[in-house]
Amino acid sequence: MISPSPSGLFCEAGGFHIDPWRPVERAVITHAHSDHASAGSRSYLCAAPGERVLRRRLPDAHVETLPYGDTIAIGDTRVSFHPAGHILGSAQVRVEHRGDVWVVSGDYKCQPTCEPFETVRCRTFITEATFALPIYTWDPAAGVVDEILEWWRLNRAAGRPSVVFCYVLGKAQRILAELRSRADGPIHLHGAMAALTDAYRESGIAMAPAERITEDMRGKALAQSLVLAPLSARGTVWMRRLPNASVSFASGLMRVRGVRRQRAFDRGFVLSDHADWMGLLSSIDATGAERVLVTHGWSDALARHLRETRGIETGTIRTAFEGEAGELSGSDDPGEPAP
Ligand SMILES: [Zn+2]
Ligand SMILES: [Zn+2]
């Protein structure tokens, strides 16, 4: 029912693409990260809570929305969105055609700060695999936030700003939401995060107050601050305003100690908007799917594990972007809008 095409996943019976990376007639979007929502398509359909964020990302797009759980007919199919727990408005796409049900997960997470992941029963499940290795296990976010607060306190005492590098869409807002009512100092944002953070606030997400860093803000003015910035700001002139900063990275990748050392972060905070290994397996099991197609990240490892332990039919789907798996190469921030 849904198959890979040069532009992305295509549903022939419905005449639409899901998360296409080239312009198409009709794009159904799981969420607004740039590897899932690319510009140039004639129309976009997304889950209603993600509308503001998607419009920030694609200002000229024709965007239609559908509340979670509502069903619409597209071509010969019936399509609905279900919470994926990844970022604001993130959705799994359920497609039904002549009694057959497929679900495309997009990116997902089981215990999030946005609307929680919903299990959707289906025959074929297309899952992400960004962190599909047993080493990736997440601790509860509250404990990770304790670590951030403690590190920030020590830096403040030493007069050093605390920089947390993180994705501009999803992670930054998640940290701000976790810090709500817990932050005990000023929080500042890199400019690339400001508009998307506004979109979250306008969508009703409660977060700690945070001020955008302006051109003249530097040195002492930021010495007590927790600063959120995209990884791409590291090593640029922008960082000169923070000469003696302690730098950290908030990512599921920080589970691997060697990665933190190798990339010379003072601290690593294991905080992810993706399911961990156990989360992937339990979510997949709960769908009851007979066939699982795997995309993004460690797809071969997950497909092999499912075959060997569940005896179910599996396959892998390559995408043009390996998505937040870009995070795995550690080089850039796919969540950052083009300058
Ligand atoms: Zn994503
Ligand atoms: Zn992704």
Side-chain angles (χ1 to χ4, degrees):
M1 190 197 314
I2 296 169
S3 51
S5 82
S7 304
L9 290 174
F10 181 60
C11 175
E12 196 172 357
F16 60 87
H17 288 77
I18 298 174
D19 293 352
W21 50 80
R22 289 186 191 162
V24 298
E25 211 35 47
R26 179 147 212 192
V28 173
I29 298 297
T30 63
H31 65 289
H33 275 147
S34 48
D35 55 316
H36 296 259
S38 59
S41 289
R42 190 182 291 267
S43 77
Y44 294 82
L45 179 69
C46 72
E51 180 178 5
R52 281 195 173 81
V53 173
L54 187 63
R55 286 188 190 281
R56 295 276 176 161
R57 273 297 164 82
L58 306 173
D60 303 323
H62 174 72
V63 176
E64 293 170 290
T65 66
L66 188 68
Y68 285 135
D70 282 14
T71 301
I72 57 162
I74 307 182
D76 289 335
T77 66
R78 291 166 59 75
V79 174
S80 55
F81 289 119
H82 303 269
H86 174 58
I87 64 168
L88 182 61
S90 63
Q92 309 170 70
V93 182
R94 180 186 187 277
V95 186
E96 187 175 338
H97 175 60
R98 295 191 184 140
D100 192 13
V101 176
W102 286 49
V103 170
V104 178
S105 75
D107 295 335
Y108 63 97
K109 180 183 173 70
C110 313
Q111 309 107 6
T113 46
C114 50
E115 186 109 4
F117 178 88
E118 177 188 327
T119 295
V120 183
R121 305 276 300 177
C122 55
R123 194 171 72 83
T124 305
F125 186 55
I126 302 183
T127 183
E128 62 132 321
T130 305
F131 287 110
L133 290 179
I135 185 175
Y136 293 115
T137 56
W138 312 147
D139 298 323
V144 180
V145 170
D146 289 341
E147 291 172 27
I148 294 176
L149 289 168
E150 181 55 28
W151 164 77
W152 182 13
R153 242 168 247 139
L154 290 171
N155 291 334
R156 276 207 305 272
R160 303 177 70 186
S162 306
V163 177
V164 181
F165 291 112
C166 56
Y167 284 147
V168 300
L169 172 56
K171 191 70 60 70
Q173 295 76 25
R174 201 162 115 81
I175 292 170
L176 290 174
E178 297 284 354
L179 287 171
R180 177 175 52 107
S181 76
R182 298 196 62 192
D184 46 10
I187 304 176
H188 284 93
L189 296 181
H190 184 282
M193 290 164 167
L196 290 162
T197 303
D198 289 346
Y200 265 62
R201 290 192 203 278
E202 289 158 14
S203 302
I205 306 298
M207 295 181 290
E211 192 188 338
R212 180 192 186 129
I213 292 179
T214 51
E215 209 33 63
D216 56 332
M217 230 182 249
R218 55 187 62 246
K220 270 214 162 75
L222 298 168
Q224 300 293 305
S225 295
L226 183 78
V227 175
L228 304 184
L231 193 51
S232 55
R234 195 179 190 195
T236 67
V237 292
W238 187 87
M239 285 298 289
R240 287 194 198 147
R241 68 189 64 242
L242 302 158
N244 60 341
S246 180
V247 295
S248 70
F249 187 33
S251 165
L253 269 186
M254 293 293 95
R255 178 52 81 211
V256 184
R257 276 166 184 274
V259 176
R260 179 176 71 75
R261 275 201 303 269
Q262 191 190 332
R263 309 232 31 225
F265 293 112
D266 299 317
R267 286 295 297 268
F269 299 110
V270 184
L271 206 56
S272 178
D273 290 333
H274 293 267
D276 64 5
W277 172 247
M278 291 310 293
L280 288 166
L281 294 180
S282 61
S283 304
I284 291 165
D285 288 343
T287 64
E290 296 162 19
R291 178 169 50 194
V292 177
L293 304 177
V294 190
T295 181
H296 271 41
W298 298 96
S299 43
D300 292 321
L302 181 57
R304 190 180 328 113
H305 181 85
L306 292 170
R307 253 189 332 269
E308 287 170 0
T309 61
R310 271 66 170 174
I312 52 178
E313 187 186 339
T314 63
T316 54
I317 297 175
R318 302 275 161 232
T319 56
F321 303 98
E322 275 299 284
E324 285 102 290
E327 191 173 16
L328 297 171
S329 69
S331 60
D332 207 356
D333 182 347
E336 190 185 5

